[in-house]
Amino acid sequence: MEPQNDIDDLPKNPANFTALTPLWFLERAATVHPTRKSVVYESKHYTWQQTYQRCRRLASALSQLSIGPGTAVSVLSPNVPAMYEVHFGVPMTGAVLNCINFRLNPLNVAFILGHAEAALVFVDQQYFALAEEALKIMEEKSEGLFKPPVLIVIGDETCDRAPLEYALSKGVTEYEKLLETGDPEFAWKPPRDEWQSIALGYTSGTTANPKGVLVSHRAAYLMSLNVVLTWGMKEGAVYLWTLPIFHGNGWCFTWSLAALCGTSVMLRQASAKAIYKAIAEHGVTNFCAAPIVLNSIVNAPPEDTILPLPHVVNVNTGGSPPPPPILLAMSQKGFRVTHVYGLSEINGPATVCAWNPNWDSLPFEAQARLNARQGVKCMCLEGLDVLDTKTNQPVPADGKTIGEVVMRGNMVMKGYLKNPKANEEAFANGWFHTEDLAVKHPDNYIEIKDRSKDIIISGGENISSVEVENVLYTHPSVLEASVVARPDKRWGESPCAFVALRSGGDHVSHERKLAEDLMKYCRSKIPSYWVPKSIVFGPLPKSATGKIQKNVLRATAKELGTL
Amino acid sequence: MEPQNDIDDLPKNPANFTALTPLWFLERAATVHPTRKSVVYESKHYTWQQTYQRCRRLASALSQLSIGPGTAVSVLSPNVPAMYEVHFGVPMTGAVLNCINFRLNPLNVAFILGHAEAALVFVDQQYFALAEEALKIMEEKSEGLFKPPVLIVIGDETCDRAPLEYALSKGVTEYEKLLETGDPEFAWKPPRDEWQSIALGYTSGTTANPKGVLVSHRAAYLMSLNVVLTWGMKEGAVYLWTLPIFHGNGWCFTWSLAALCGTSVMLRQASAKAIYKAIAEHGVTNFCAAPIVLNSIVNAPPEDTILPLPHVVNVNTGGSPPPPPILLAMSQKGFRVTHVYGLSEINGPATVCAWNPNWDSLPFEAQARLNARQGVKCMCLEGLDVLDTKTNQPVPADGKTIGEVVMRGNMVMKGYLKNPKANEEAFANGWFHTEDLAVKHPDNYIEIKDRSKDIIISGGENISSVEVENVLYTHPSVLEASVVARPDKRWGESPCAFVALRSGGDHVSHERKLAEDLMKYCRSKIPSYWVPKSIVFGPLPKSATGKIQKNVLRATAKELGTL
C-alpha cells in the first residue's frame, strides 16, 4: 500500500483562511493608531477611532434600511470625508459601492443608476440637482414602474447651504442624521467569499453607454497593497486627494491609507494653489495627479506656489502618458514623480515605470523621456505583454513594433456588469485586452503609443498621436496639446493638432504664423507625414479626471472637414 | 419578473484570477532588473537574470527526475546561494520544499525525512555526513523496505573540499552538475491552486517529535508582502542573511527579496564581525536576528566592529522577546530595531511592535521597554487576540491579565502534516492557538509573558520567566539570562536562573557573592516570590536559531533537585 501522503490535502478552516478584503485595514488602524488623524477636510479632523466608529454607524444604518449583499449603493460626491467613509461603511454591509462621476450629465447618471439598480444614493449637496434630474429622467422612462432609490444628502458647512436646505425641504435625510441612527459598535461582517464584489465603477464611455466594472474584495485588497508596494509608501503617509475618489475608488488608495494608518487630506476642488497649500499645512507626502494637473502645478503663477517644498513630495501620475517636459519641470521643483499606468478595468495602477538606478547619471531630459514610458508590471500583477493584434503573439522587444497591451492577474476586474459581449471581447484568449497600443523596449519596458481608437492611420501607416503631442509639448509656446485624426482625401487621415498656448491663447493675429512655426518645429523632430497638417488654437476640453477629451476633439476635427 | 442582478455572479477566468504564489516575483525581478545583484556569497555574485535561469534549470532538472506535485524535496543547508535557489526551483515543479535544521541530530533528521517522505535531499557538503547517518538510521528501521531519497550534494569552493570529494566518491551528484542537466528556459507552471503547499517546515519539537508545518502558496505570497509592508522595506533592499533560511523559509524574506528585486547577502555562519563587515562591504540595509544575535552585536569586541555605521541599518528581531537593555544598546549604535513576533506555524512575523510617534519624546529606556512588547497584528493578519485559557473570552486590556495569544488569517499554516490531533488542538474554536501567554495593554499592544510551558507557577501564582529575565539583563554583570521552574517543596515551583556573565564566567570564587547580589538586585525590582531562589552560572545552551534552549535548562533545574 502506498503510504498516505496528505501534503496537499489539509482543508481550509476559519483560523487559516479568511476572505481577502481591505475592510480589516480599518479595524486595524483604529486599534493601532486610534488617535492619529485619519481624514482632514477644512476644519474637520477625524481620528482613526472616529472614522471606524462612523463607518460602523454607517454600515449599521444601511443594514437597518435593508442594504446588504447583492445591492448597489451609489454615491455622487467630490473628495469629502463622507466619500471616504462610504468606502468602508457600504461594503461592511455586503453591498457594492458604486461611485459616479459627478461631471456626467443627468442622462448618463440616470443610465448608471438604472443599470446598477442602485438601492440608495448618497449625494453631496453640490450635486443634488444633478441627482434629482437623473431620477426625473428615470421616472419618465419607467412608465410608472419606477421605484426610486433612497436619497441621502451629504451636507457641507463650508459651502453655500442653499442646496442642502433645498434637499432637506424635499424630505431627504442628511448624511449625519443617517449616521446618528447607526450603532458605533456595529458587528460588521467581512464578505463570505473574497470574490464577492466590493465596487462597481463605470468607464467614461465616450462612444457608447458606459460599462460597469465590477471589482472583487480580493482584487481591492491586492490593489490596496500593490499601490503601497509600487510606490514604496510609508506607514503614516499623508496623502492629498487630488485624484477624484470616484475614479476607480481613488485607485484603491482609500483602502491603502487605512492599511498604512495614514492621513487623507481632502479637497473639494484641486488646484495648484490648493496643492501647494496642503503640502505646507498638512505635511503632504504623497498625491496622485493626471498629467494635466501636473501641468497646472508646473505652470502655476508664483503667488500660488509655496517653494521650495518643505520636503520631497512623491507624486504618482498616470491616466495618460505624461509629456517628458512636464516630468522634467516637476523634478526640478522637487517633486519625485512615479509614472504608473492603469485603467478603470484594473481599478488602479497595473504597471510602473520602475526607476532604474542606471538612469541616475543621465541628463534630466533623458531621464524624463525614460520615465514617460509605462514600464513594467507592478508587484501584484501576474502577467503583462504586448501582443500583435493579428497573430496574438508577443511583439519583439525592439521599441518599434506596435501591439496591444494585455494583462493577466488578480487585480483585473471581475468583468462588466450585464454585458456578456463586452466581457467576451475583453477576456479573449486568457488575457485582459486593454485596447491600448504600445511597443516593448529592449529593456522590457512598455511604452504606450496610443489608445486603439486614438491611433492615426495615414496612408496605411500608424502615427502615434502621443508622440506628436510629446514633440509639441517641448515647444516653449505650448501649454497643452492634443493630436487626433482628421479626414484626409489623399491619406485617409492626417494629424490635426489642438493646442492651448502658454501665454493665454488670444493671439489670433499671430496664429497663422505660429501654426507654421510649430509645423516647422515638428518637421525637425519627427517624420514629415507625422507633422500636423492643421493646428487649432484654444483651450482643450477636459474630463472630470483632467484627461483631455479626444472624442470631443475628434468630432471637431471631423467638422473641420476633409483636407 | 425580478430583473437579473448579476452583481456577484461573474465567474473567474484565466485573465482575472491567478493562483497567488510568490514564484512570479522571480520572473518579474529578472524582467525589471536583469543585471542587478540577486545573491552574493563570498566571491560569487549572481544577477536576477542568472538566478532566474538557475532556478529554471533546477526546476527542469527536478522535473526530469519525476519530482512534481505531492512530493517533498528536503534541503540541509546553511545560507548559501543554492539554499536561495531551491525556494523557487523546487516549487516551480509543483513539489513542496522541506528545509531541515542542520543542527538537529541524525535521529531527528531521519524522522523528518521519513515523515515528509522526501523524494530528494539537497545537502550542503558540510552536512553530508549528517545526511548519510540519517539515511543509515532510516534504512536500519525500515527492515529492508527502504527506498532512499536521491541525494544531491551542494559543494562550496570556499570550504575544505574533503566532504565534497567524499560525497562524489559515493556517486552522489553535485548540485552544479544537476543544474547543467536542466533547461534555462524551462516553462515552469504556477500552482493550479493557491492552497497547494509550497513549504513544509518542522517545529523545533523540544518535547516530542517535531511537527511538520504546511504552508500554502497563498500564505507564502501574503507573508512575502507582509514582511515588506510591516518593515517598510524598500525596492532594491540589500538584505543580510543572519537568520537561518531553514527557519520558516527565512520568514519568507527569500521570496520578498525577489518581489523587491533586492540583494541577498549570504553568510555560512553569522557572527558580529561578519555582520559589521557585510554592512560595510555590501551596503546592507536590512537584516533579521534573534535577540541572542543582537546581544553578540552589542557586546562585540571593538576590533570586530565597524562603527559608526555608514547608514541606518534596519534590524528585525523576534523569536523570543528582546530584553530592553539590548534594544537600547542597539539603537545607540545606530541600528533601527523593529520588534516582530512570529512562530513556525505562521512562517514569519504575525505581530509587530508598531512604532508610535508619541514615543519619540520618551527617554531611551522607556522606548526600549515599549518596543520590547510584541505589539499589534501585522497588516496581512486578519485576527489577533488574547483569550482567557479557561473561558475563551478576550482578556481585559489592563496590561495584567494573562491569556493565550490566538490568531486568525491567511498567513496561518494549513496545518501539521499527518497529525490530526495536533491540528484539532491548534485550530480549536476558529482560532490558531499559539500557546504563548500574554497580556493586552491599554494601548491594545500585546506583550508575551511566557510560553505556556515556560510559565512558573509558584504557590499557585504565575511568574513570568520573561519578566525575571528582563530584570536580570539590566544588571551590568549579566550577558545572558534564562529563568525556568525548579521543583520546590513549599511552593511547587520556584524560579531558577541560568546566567552567563559578561566578562567570561569563570569567577567561581565570586559566584556565591554574585548570586546574592543578583537576588538582592531583583528584589529591588520585582515581587519577592519572583526572585530566583537559585542561580547557576555558565554558558547557556542554544538552538540553531540562537534561542536559549529552555527545555535543556528545565531538565538541568530538575536535576538540581527539589529546593
Side-chain angles (χ1 to χ4, degrees):
Chain A
M1 202 185 85
E2 197 76 60
Q4 198 218 329
N5 188 342
D6 54 3
I7 210 160
D8 274 323
D9 294 348
L10 283 167
K12 295 165 187 167
N13 68 49
N16 65 19
F17 187 87
T18 314
L20 294 175
T21 170
L23 300 180
W24 288 115
F25 297 150
L26 176 57
E27 180 259 357
R28 183 178 179 275
T31 306
V32 180
H33 290 295
T35 61
R36 189 184 276 177
K37 279 181 197 166
S38 51
V39 179
V40 172
Y41 173 64
E42 301 282 350
S43 62
K44 269 191 189 151
H45 288 204
Y46 293 113
T47 65
W48 278 112
Q49 192 167 40
Q50 290 171 328
T51 294
Y52 186 36
Q53 283 181 350
R54 289 172 60 84
C55 293
R56 287 165 93 180
R57 277 182 184 277
L58 177 56
S60 164
L62 290 174
S63 296
Q64 287 168 36
L65 295 173
S66 303
I67 300 290
T71 309
V73 171
S74 302
V75 55
L76 266 167
S77 171
N79 296 350
V80 294
M83 187 59 162
Y84 190 83
E85 292 159 4
V86 294
H87 276 77
F88 294 91
V90 171
M92 274 173 171
T93 68
V96 181
L97 181 66
N98 166 233
C99 295
I100 304 179
N101 178 347
F102 49 73
R103 296 199 194 145
L104 294 175
N105 62 39
L107 209 64
N108 299 141
V109 174
F111 171 81
I112 292 174
L113 291 176
H115 191 259
E117 302 173 42
L120 186 144
V121 188
F122 293 101
V123 200
D124 179 83
Q125 59 175 57
Q126 192 180 345
Y127 302 99
F128 188 76
L130 172 61
E132 216 180 17
E133 269 194 80
L135 293 186
K136 211 172 124 199
I137 293 170
M138 292 171 79
E139 190 169 9
E140 284 164 7
K141 284 196 177 170
S142 72
E143 298 170 356
L145 295 168
F146 186 56
K147 191 175 166 275
V150 177
L151 275 189
I152 303 289
V153 64
I154 304 164
D156 189 334
E157 291 162 10
T158 67
C159 299
D160 172 22
R161 304 288 281 174
L164 175 65
E165 277 156 23
Y166 170 76
L168 298 180
S169 76
K170 293 272 186 169
V172 173
T173 303
E174 196 188 347
Y175 180 75
E176 292 295 333
K177 292 281 176 213
L178 178 73
L179 290 198
E180 282 171 21
T181 69
D183 175 5
E185 304 292 315
F186 179 64
W188 62 278
K189 286 207 182 71
R192 279 184 309 275
D193 182 339
E194 66 198 37
W195 192 250
Q196 215 170 299
S197 302
I198 191 171
L200 169 63
Y202 281 77
T203 59
S204 43
T206 46
T207 48
N209 269 329
K211 289 178 277 186
V213 173
L214 280 166
V215 179
S216 68
H217 280 261
R218 174 180 168 102
Y221 176 91
L222 292 169
M223 179 55 86
S224 303
L225 299 188
N226 181 65
V227 292
V228 171
L229 292 162
T230 297
W231 208 1
M233 278 180 95
K234 287 193 185 141
E235 201 272 345
V238 180
Y239 181 88
L240 177 66
W241 281 101
T242 43
L243 179 78
I245 296 181
F246 71 69
H247 190 65
N249 304 105
W251 290 357
C252 296
F253 280 106
T254 37
W255 297 304
S256 303
L257 281 154
L260 292 168
C261 308
T263 304
S264 282
V265 180
M266 296 288 176
L267 286 181
R268 180 169 280 270
Q269 184 122 34
S271 66
K273 188 175 180 178
I275 291 170
Y276 278 111
K277 189 164 164 264
I279 293 169
E281 271 182 21
H282 299 292
V284 168
T285 57
N286 298 70
F287 68 90
C288 295
I292 220 82
V293 177
L294 303 189
N295 204 3
S296 75
I297 293 172
V298 162
N299 291 302
E303 65 273 21
D304 286 356
T305 69
I306 302 176
L307 286 168
L309 297 177
H311 50 262
V312 172
V313 178
N314 297 288
V315 182
N316 232 328
T317 192
S320 59
I326 295 179
L327 287 179
L328 175 61
M330 285 292 288
S331 326
Q332 285 167 336
K333 291 213 184 318
F335 294 93
R336 190 180 293 142
V337 181
T338 303
H339 176 205
V340 295
Y341 155 67
L343 27 149
S344 303
E345 287 83 351
I346 305 283
N347 223 40
T351 75
V352 55
C353 190
W355 190 260
N356 188 323
N358 297 341
W359 304 343
D360 285 346
S361 55
L362 296 177
F364 245 6
E365 286 75 9
Q367 289 182 349
R369 194 176 38 72
L370 288 165
N371 201 18
R373 303 178 304 165
Q374 280 63 33
V376 291
K377 65 182 178 185
C378 287
M379 214 184 271
C380 297
L381 189 72
E382 278 76 12
L384 173 72
D385 215 332
V386 178
L387 302 187
D388 183 291
T389 48
K390 278 168 200 146
T391 65
N392 256 325
Q393 290 304 303
V395 301
D398 59 7
K400 285 177 198 163
T401 314
I402 288 183
E404 185 188 17
V405 179
V406 293
M407 297 173 182
R408 178 185 289 151
N410 296 298
M411 303 191 302
V412 173
M413 65 166 178
K414 289 170 75 170
Y416 300 114
L417 178 65
K418 302 183 220 165
N419 205 337
K421 191 172 158 282
N423 286 330
E424 203 179 303
E425 285 169 15
F427 294 131
N429 306 312
W431 286 101
F432 166 64
H433 294 262
T434 64
E435 293 186 31
D436 281 329
L437 300 176
V439 298
K440 218 190 304 181
H441 286 279
D443 64 357
N444 290 316
Y445 282 50
I446 68 164
E447 181 171 15
I448 290 187
K449 292 298 180 178
D450 243 321
R451 290 288 295 173
S452 297
K453 60 178 182 291
D454 292 343
I455 203 102
I456 301 160
I457 304 172
S458 187
E461 294 293 329
N462 286 343
I463 299 174
S464 156
S465 64
V466 173
E467 294 212 357
V468 182
E469 288 157 12
N470 282 349
V471 168
L472 288 169
Y473 267 103
T474 61
H475 191 281
S477 305
V478 173
L479 179 70
E480 289 165 4
S482 185
V483 175
V484 299
R486 178 172 173 181
D488 191 289
K489 218 185 290 179
R490 183 161 174 204
W491 304 109
E493 293 178 353
S494 68
C496 172
F498 290 80
V499 171
L501 292 173
R502 188 168 291 279
S503 42
D506 46 4
H507 312 241
V508 187
S509 56
H510 305 102
E511 275 185 6
R512 197 187 167 114
K513 186 179 172 310
L514 196 56
E516 277 168 15
D517 277 1
L518 281 176
M519 289 179 193
K520 195 175 153 198
Y521 181 76
C522 288
R523 244 187 309 275
S524 71
K525 310 231 166 197
I526 46 178
S528 61
Y529 71 99
W530 287 31
V531 175
K533 281 179 76 177
S534 37
I535 299 185
V536 180
F537 295 96
L540 304 184
K542 280 168 210 157
S543 76
T545 54
K547 278 194 204 175
I548 294 167
Q549 293 178 299
K550 283 209 168 176
N551 55 322
V552 175
L553 296 177
R554 253 192 300 273
T556 312
K558 248 185 207 162
E559 283 163 19
L560 291 175
T562 304
L563 266 182
Chain B
M1 199 186 92
E2 197 75 62
Q4 199 216 327
N5 188 342
D6 53 3
I7 209 158
D8 273 323
D9 295 345
L10 283 167
K12 296 166 186 166
N13 69 48
N16 66 19
F17 188 88
T18 315
L20 293 175
T21 170
L23 300 179
W24 287 115
F25 297 150
L26 176 57
E27 181 259 358
R28 183 178 178 275
T31 306
V32 180
H33 290 295
T35 60
R36 189 184 274 176
K37 280 181 196 168
S38 52
V39 179
V40 172
Y41 173 63
E42 302 281 350
S43 63
K44 269 189 188 151
H45 289 204
Y46 294 113
T47 65
W48 278 113
Q49 191 167 41
Q50 289 171 328
T51 295
Y52 187 35
Q53 283 181 349
R54 288 172 60 84
C55 293
R56 286 165 96 180
R57 277 184 185 277
L58 176 56
S60 164
L62 290 174
S63 296
Q64 287 168 37
L65 294 172
S66 302
I67 300 289
T71 309
V73 171
S74 301
V75 56
L76 265 167
S77 171
N79 296 350
V80 295
M83 188 58 162
Y84 190 82
E85 291 159 4
V86 295
H87 276 77
F88 294 92
V90 171
M92 273 173 170
T93 69
V96 181
L97 181 66
N98 166 232
C99 295
I100 304 178
N101 178 348
F102 50 72
R103 297 202 191 139
L104 294 175
N105 62 41
L107 209 63
N108 298 141
V109 174
F111 171 82
I112 292 174
L113 290 176
H115 191 259
E117 302 174 44
L120 185 145
V121 188
F122 293 101
V123 200
D124 178 84
Q125 61 174 55
Q126 191 181 345
Y127 303 100
F128 189 77
L130 172 61
E132 215 180 17
E133 269 194 81
L135 293 186
K136 210 171 126 200
I137 293 169
M138 290 171 80
E139 189 167 12
E140 283 166 5
K141 285 194 175 171
S142 73
E143 298 171 356
L145 294 169
F146 185 57
K147 187 172 166 281
V150 177
L151 275 189
I152 303 289
V153 64
I154 304 164
D156 189 333
E157 290 162 10
T158 68
C159 298
D160 172 23
R161 303 289 281 174
L164 176 65
E165 277 157 22
Y166 170 75
L168 298 180
S169 76
K170 292 273 186 166
V172 173
T173 304
E174 197 188 348
Y175 181 74
E176 293 294 334
K177 293 276 175 217
L178 178 74
L179 290 198
E180 283 170 21
T181 68
D183 175 6
E185 304 291 317
F186 179 65
W188 63 278
K189 286 209 180 71
R192 276 184 310 275
D193 182 337
E194 65 197 38
W195 192 250
Q196 215 170 297
S197 302
I198 190 171
L200 170 63
Y202 280 78
T203 60
S204 42
T206 45
T207 48
N209 270 331
K211 288 176 280 188
V213 173
L214 280 167
V215 179
S216 68
H217 279 261
R218 174 181 169 101
Y221 175 91
L222 292 169
M223 180 56 87
S224 303
L225 300 188
N226 182 65
V227 293
V228 171
L229 292 162
T230 297
W231 209 2
M233 280 179 93
K234 288 192 185 142
E235 200 274 345
V238 180
Y239 183 87
L240 176 67
W241 280 102
T242 42
L243 178 78
I245 296 181
F246 71 70
H247 189 66
N249 305 104
W251 289 358
C252 296
F253 281 106
T254 37
W255 297 304
S256 304
L257 281 154
L260 291 169
C261 307
T263 303
S264 283
V265 180
M266 296 287 178
L267 286 180
R268 180 168 280 270
Q269 183 124 33
S271 67
K273 188 176 180 176
I275 291 169
Y276 278 111
K277 189 163 165 268
I279 293 169
E281 272 181 20
H282 299 291
V284 169
T285 56
N286 298 71
F287 68 91
C288 294
I292 220 81
V293 177
L294 304 189
N295 204 3
S296 76
I297 292 172
V298 163
N299 291 302
E303 64 272 21
D304 285 357
T305 70
I306 302 177
L307 285 169
L309 297 177
H311 49 262
V312 173
V313 178
N314 297 288
V315 182
N316 231 329
T317 191
S320 59
I326 294 179
L327 287 180
L328 176 61
M330 285 293 287
S331 326
Q332 286 168 337
K333 290 211 185 321
F335 295 93
R336 190 180 292 143
V337 181
T338 302
H339 176 206
V340 294
Y341 155 65
L343 26 148
S344 304
E345 287 83 352
I346 305 281
N347 223 41
T351 75
V352 55
C353 190
W355 190 261
N356 187 324
N358 296 341
W359 304 343
D360 285 347
S361 54
L362 296 177
F364 245 7
E365 287 74 9
Q367 289 181 348
R369 192 174 41 72
L370 288 166
N371 201 16
R373 303 178 305 165
Q374 280 63 32
V376 291
K377 65 182 179 184
C378 287
M379 215 184 273
C380 298
L381 189 72
E382 277 77 13
L384 173 72
D385 215 332
V386 179
L387 302 186
D388 182 290
T389 49
K390 278 168 199 144
T391 65
N392 255 327
Q393 290 305 302
V395 301
D398 58 7
K400 286 175 196 164
T401 315
I402 287 182
E404 186 187 17
V405 179
V406 293
M407 296 170 184
R408 177 186 290 150
N410 296 300
M411 305 191 300
V412 173
M413 65 167 178
K414 288 171 75 169
Y416 300 114
L417 178 66
K418 302 183 220 165
N419 205 335
K421 192 170 158 286
N423 285 332
E424 202 178 305
E425 286 169 13
F427 293 132
N429 305 311
W431 286 101
F432 166 65
H433 294 261
T434 64
E435 293 186 32
D436 281 330
L437 300 177
V439 298
K440 219 191 303 180
H441 286 279
D443 64 356
N444 292 316
Y445 282 51
I446 68 164
E447 182 171 16
I448 290 187
K449 292 299 179 178
D450 243 322
R451 290 287 297 171
S452 295
K453 59 179 185 291
D454 291 343
I455 203 100
I456 301 160
I457 303 173
S458 185
E461 296 291 328
N462 287 341
I463 299 173
S464 156
S465 65
V466 173
E467 294 212 0
V468 182
E469 288 157 12
N470 282 350
V471 167
L472 288 168
Y473 267 103
T474 62
H475 191 279
S477 305
V478 173
L479 179 69
E480 288 165 4
S482 186
V483 176
V484 299
R486 179 172 173 182
D488 189 290
K489 216 186 289 177
R490 184 160 173 205
W491 303 108
E493 293 179 355
S494 68
C496 172
F498 291 81
V499 171
L501 292 173
R502 186 167 291 278
S503 42
D506 47 2
H507 313 241
V508 187
S509 55
H510 304 103
E511 275 185 7
R512 197 188 169 111
K513 184 176 171 311
L514 196 54
E516 279 169 13
D517 277 0
L518 281 176
M519 289 178 193
K520 197 175 151 198
Y521 181 75
C522 288
R523 242 187 310 274
S524 70
K525 310 231 164 198
I526 46 177
S528 61
Y529 70 98
W530 287 31
V531 175
K533 280 180 76 175
S534 37
I535 299 185
V536 181
F537 294 96
L540 303 185
K542 279 167 213 157
S543 76
T545 54
K547 278 193 206 178
I548 295 167
Q549 293 177 299
K550 282 208 168 176
N551 55 323
V552 175
L553 296 178
R554 253 192 300 273
T556 312
K558 246 184 208 160
E559 282 163 18
L560 291 175
T562 303
L563 266 183

